[in-house]
Amino acid sequence: MLTGKKIVLAVTGSIAAYKSCELLRLLIKRGAEVRVIMTEAAQRFVTPLTFEALGAQTVYTGDWDQHQSAIPHIDATKDASLLLVAPATANILAKAAQGMADDILSAAILAARCPVAYAPAMNTYMWHNQATQRNVTQLTQDGALFLGPASGEQACGDIGSGRMLEPEEILEALKGAFSPRLLDRCRVLITAGPTYEPIDPVRGITNRSSGKQGYAIAKAAALAGAEVTLVSGPTNLKTPAGVRRIDVTTAQEMYDTVMREVSQHEIFISVAAVADWRVANSSEHKLKKEFSGAPEIIFEENPDILASVAALENAPYCVGFAAETDNLIDNARAKLYRKHVPLIVANLVSDAMNQDTNTVVFVERDAATPLTKATKEHVAQELIAKIAQEVN
Ligand code: C5P
């Protein structure tokens, strides 16, 4: 994502400035070329030498004698892909919102022709103050990207939002600045994870789906500019940034939620490993082995969510998944006809379930396109590109 990108990291006077040293290191490790701008206040927290020692190409400090050029505020961002202000204090947000240019950083922001991103860091009362919120709204309207802030305990002891995102989280959020917006403002509904069908209050039937592929698709869609709703069975995964998540347990709950939500969406991607059957005679009380012996479990069929969505009058563009143990393409194509969907992503159970990588084939009516083995994140990006091509 960052290979060959020229990034200007601007550091302002916040205690979070020490985290910018780690951020610089991570940016360089991911292949970016980084220049640094430090305000005077930032230099009270960390020194230019720290950034130089960590590999910054140039560190602009506003010391006019230091530079060959008379216009460092123009040179700094000249061929940059991004100006990232991290940490961004309330003060720099106010100056940038007003278009002030009374020091090297505010002048560089005003002169920047590249996108500008801010990772705010300030006391929670300063963040929530109307003046700051006005400045954030103004800067957002002007096209700036905001990364965070996070909430939690602050250096001053107050608790609330205003903390700078961790360096790893900033990198993650930055992907949005560099991803092509293939599904800009498109509304995408995704199911992911397993379902859980109770036998009694403590026992149930589920499957080995981890949810990783569905969550990776939700993330890739959000990064491509989509508004994403993720209907998730039980998983331990973190909700991808910007994704609206609705948790469900059983297949019936997943069906009800999808049917309620679907009319608001243009694309439906059914990744969940939905249980085909539920327990018809599930017990309200825990089954006791002492008295009843082995219980007899009676199954009844769950509704087919994907087929039901595809059969709607105003159906969205539907994509299904097929996890097979054999005859991958034939089974996937049979599913495509049975459920009336234009695209099935086929994978072998042994390649997909509970793994970080996947080997998939895009199966359509008259084509089967195999992808090479890749991370689930990469498969997700390929699928989003394929869907964008089909719907646009
Ligand atoms: O019928 P089968 O389970 O093999 O089909 C898999 C595809 O159908 C997946 O996309 C899965 O999410 C979806 N499905 C569904 N509701 C079910 C069963 C499967 O949406 N009850």
Side-chain angles (χ1 to χ4, degrees):
M1 171 188 80
L2 293 178
T3 310
K5 292 272 190 303
K6 293 184 167 62
I7 294 181
V8 179
L9 173 62
V11 185
T12 66
S14 152
I15 181 61
Y18 79 93
K19 291 187 185 172
S20 307
C21 306
E22 174 66 1
L23 180 57
L24 172 87
R25 215 181 56 76
L26 292 177
L27 288 167
I28 293 174
K29 204 168 146 198
R30 305 275 164 97
E33 295 170 23
V34 189
R35 284 172 222 150
V36 172
I37 302 177
M38 300 182 76
T39 62
E40 238 178 272
Q43 293 168 57
R44 293 172 179 258
F45 290 92
V46 276
T47 69
L49 188 62
T50 316
F51 290 106
E52 273 162 20
L54 287 169
Q57 289 187 331
T58 314
V59 181
Y60 296 93
T61 58
D63 172 1
W64 300 98
D65 297 335
Q66 172 207 8
H67 303 292
Q68 305 279 324
S69 158
I71 47 168
H73 58 292
I74 313 281
D75 291 344
T77 62
K78 208 170 194 171
D79 52 356
S81 328
L82 179 76
L83 169 54
L84 167 63
V85 188
T89 56
N91 184 50
I92 195 65
L93 298 182
K95 293 210 289 187
Q98 291 298 316
M100 287 174 68
D102 64 351
D103 69 349
I104 183 156
L105 177 55
S106 52
I109 293 172
L110 200 60
R113 275 165 285 172
C114 59
V116 183
Y118 297 93
M122 67 196 74
N123 170 272
T124 188
Y125 296 106
M126 293 170 81
W127 171 251
H128 286 296
N129 187 288
Q130 285 177 345
T132 303
Q133 289 305 307
R134 234 182 359 254
N135 294 331
V136 171
T137 305
Q138 183 62 59
L139 289 167
T140 307
Q141 276 171 10
D142 295 346
L145 183 69
F146 274 81
L147 318 174
S151 94
E153 193 176 342
Q154 303 203 293
C156 55
D158 285 335
I159 293 174
S161 39
R163 277 168 59 110
M164 187 170 89
L165 293 185
E166 294 302 323
E168 284 280 3
E169 294 173 319
I170 291 178
L171 280 201
E172 204 45 46
L174 268 189
K175 285 187 183 170
F178 294 120
S179 302
R181 296 182 73 80
L182 295 175
L183 292 179
D184 203 19
R185 285 191 291 270
C186 204
R187 291 166 300 176
V188 181
L189 180 62
I190 300 170
T191 63
T195 64
Y196 176 92
E197 310 296 328
I199 296 172
D200 70 11
V202 291
R203 304 179 182 94
I205 293 170
T206 185
N207 58 62
R208 291 174 56 218
S209 166
S210 61
K212 284 179 187 166
Q213 185 64 81
Y215 276 59
I217 293 167
K219 181 172 152 188
L223 288 173
E227 292 169 26
V228 182
T229 306
L230 176 64
V231 182
S232 175
T235 73
N236 290 319
L237 302 174
K238 252 177 80 177
T239 311
V243 168
R244 172 177 167 246
R245 169 170 158 186
I246 305 172
D247 286 328
V248 297
T249 304
T250 64
Q252 185 64 47
E253 282 169 21
M254 188 174 271
Y255 173 87
D256 294 340
T257 308
V258 166
M259 286 319 214
R260 193 184 65 226
E261 293 284 332
V262 69
S263 64
Q264 307 296 318
H265 296 81
E266 289 107 27
I267 295 170
F268 176 55
I269 312 176
S270 183
V271 196
V274 186
D276 291 318
W277 307 284
R278 63 173 165 251
V279 179
N281 58 339
S282 63
S283 167
E284 244 179 77
H285 305 286
K286 186 182 171 191
L287 300 171
K288 300 274 187 221
K289 78 171 171 190
E290 300 92 70
F291 306 120
S292 47
E296 193 172 313
I297 294 176
I298 301 169
F299 287 106
E300 65 187 347
E301 213 169 309
N302 272 321
D304 189 311
I305 305 170
L306 177 59
S308 309
V309 170
L312 291 171
E313 202 176 319
N314 288 319
Y317 178 82
C318 288
V319 179
F321 268 69
E324 306 293 341
T325 51
D326 50 72
N327 280 339
L328 183 62
I329 295 177
D330 288 348
N331 280 327
R333 192 162 278 125
K335 222 159 269 186
L336 179 134
Y337 284 113
R338 198 168 63 244
K339 303 196 186 210
H340 298 287
V341 296
L343 175 61
I344 290 273
V345 182
N347 47 215
L348 288 171
V349 170
S350 54
D351 287 336
M353 284 268 176
N354 238 328
Q355 315 239 9
D356 291 327
T357 54
N358 204 351
T359 311
V360 306
V361 184
F362 291 160
V363 178
E364 295 162 277
R365 244 168 205 278
D366 44 18
T369 317
L371 268 58
T372 47
K373 179 176 176 177
T375 60
K376 287 188 171 170
E377 297 215 337
H378 185 78
V379 169
Q381 287 159 9
E382 294 281 342
L383 177 61
I384 292 302
K386 168 77 180 160
I387 293 172
Q389 195 187 335
E390 296 301 318
V391 298
N392 289 328

